[in-house]
Amino acid sequence: MRPYLFIAPSVLGLLIFYIMPFMVNVSYCFTLAENDSVTPLNLFRNIGHVFTSYSFQLALKNNALFLLLAMPAIIIVSFLLALLLLRVTVSNAVFRTAFFMPLVIPTAATIIVFQILFEQSGFINHVLRVFNMNTVDFLDSRYSLLIMVIIYVWKYCGYNMLLFIVGINAIPKEYYEAAKIDGAGKIKCMYYITLKLIKSTMFFVIIMSLINSFKIFREVYLLTGDYPSERLYLLQHYLNNNFRNFNYQNLSIASLMTFTFVMLILGFLYLRRNRIEKGE
């Protein structure tokens, strides 16, 4: 009985702040704005209404494009930084701290830096004016999505880099020595030893990168507000705006679809990892 008393506060908090709100959210999916009747038909009507909404389609497209660009970018950059720092023997701790610092810097301070760089009256446009070149509204141009990717990689690559360093350091050095004796070069050692033996680390990095990708909304929101340019309109904007408009049906459907999307990706990754570990 005593162990259950110790975990009771955590379980109670989980029920009150997570499970119960989630169930309320699901119940809104089965109701219409004009009445409170709960029927399966209302669910399909709400789903159809959300899917045919231009703002939802735009948000979904922007989130998908961001994931397609940001996920490979942050994994490649953080992995290369890890390899680079493993070769640096002088002031290694200083470099690790420097790359990890963006994660602990307050978001407001981060946004001030990027505002100074990319706003219409920012540093980059000031340089362009000095050389008599046309200025660019970076936050409302074709570069805006790229800026979002840069912010994301800059903020979270240090965390992923440390994970890769830990994973690579756990590989026995004897494997590399034996491979060199057999005539394997650096590329073969990288592919057949490093990448093969950090699969668990890579899996964890992908999951954390996926979770952190949804946190980029904080930076975008502070940079552009509730209604940014179409290229920066994300699913979290859609959710926030529906919440402010008291449109709980659309909010519930969109949030449940986002949850389902993330869970499907995580499920696919887990299945893929299990198949790789079994050698299939």
Side-chain angles (χ1 to χ4, degrees), residues 13 59 107 168:
T107 304
I168 295 173

Side-chain angles (χ1 to χ4, degrees), residues 22 52 62 76 112 127 131 137 143 148 182 190 199-200 232 240 268:
F22 181 79
T52 55
N62 288 338
I76 292 171
I112 290 174
V127 173
F131 290 97
D137 186 3
Y143 305 108
M148 188 163 61
D182 291 336
M190 175 73 64
K199 290 177 182 177
S200 297
L232 293 179
N240 280 9
F268 171 78

Side-chain angles (χ1 to χ4, degrees), residues 28-86:
Y28 273 116
C29 297
F30 292 88
T31 63
L32 295 177
E34 58 271 12
N35 61 69
D36 296 328
S37 61
V38 180
T39 64
L41 183 60
N42 292 340
L43 173 65
F44 295 110
R45 288 177 180 174
N46 288 330
I47 291 175
H49 186 266
V50 170
F51 264 108
T52 55
S53 168
Y54 173 74
S55 55
F56 179 78
Q57 294 175 2
L58 178 65
L60 191 64
K61 183 190 73 172
N62 288 338
N63 266 87
L65 287 175
F66 174 75
L67 286 175
L68 289 174
L69 292 175
M71 291 288 288
I74 194 170
I75 292 172
I76 292 171
V77 169
S78 55
F79 181 70
L80 293 178
L81 284 175
L83 293 177
L84 180 63
L85 288 186
L86 285 171

Side-chain angles (χ1 to χ4, degrees), residues 168-198:
I168 295 173
N169 279 331
I171 300 175
K173 300 295 185 288
E174 291 81 3
Y175 291 175
Y176 294 102
E177 294 172 359
K180 289 180 181 178
I181 292 174
D182 291 336
K186 293 182 179 179
I187 296 178
K188 287 187 176 180
C189 287
M190 175 73 64
Y191 180 78
Y192 289 104
I193 299 178
T194 305
L195 292 177
K196 295 288 185 180
L197 295 180
I198 62 167

Side-chain angles (χ1 to χ4, degrees), residues 116-117 119-138:
I116 292 173
L117 287 174
E119 276 194 340
Q120 188 69 38
S121 58
F123 175 75
I124 296 178
N125 279 326
H126 175 72
V127 173
L128 293 176
R129 282 191 290 268
V130 169
F131 290 97
N132 294 321
M133 299 174 65
N134 294 328
T135 59
V136 180
D137 186 3
F138 289 100

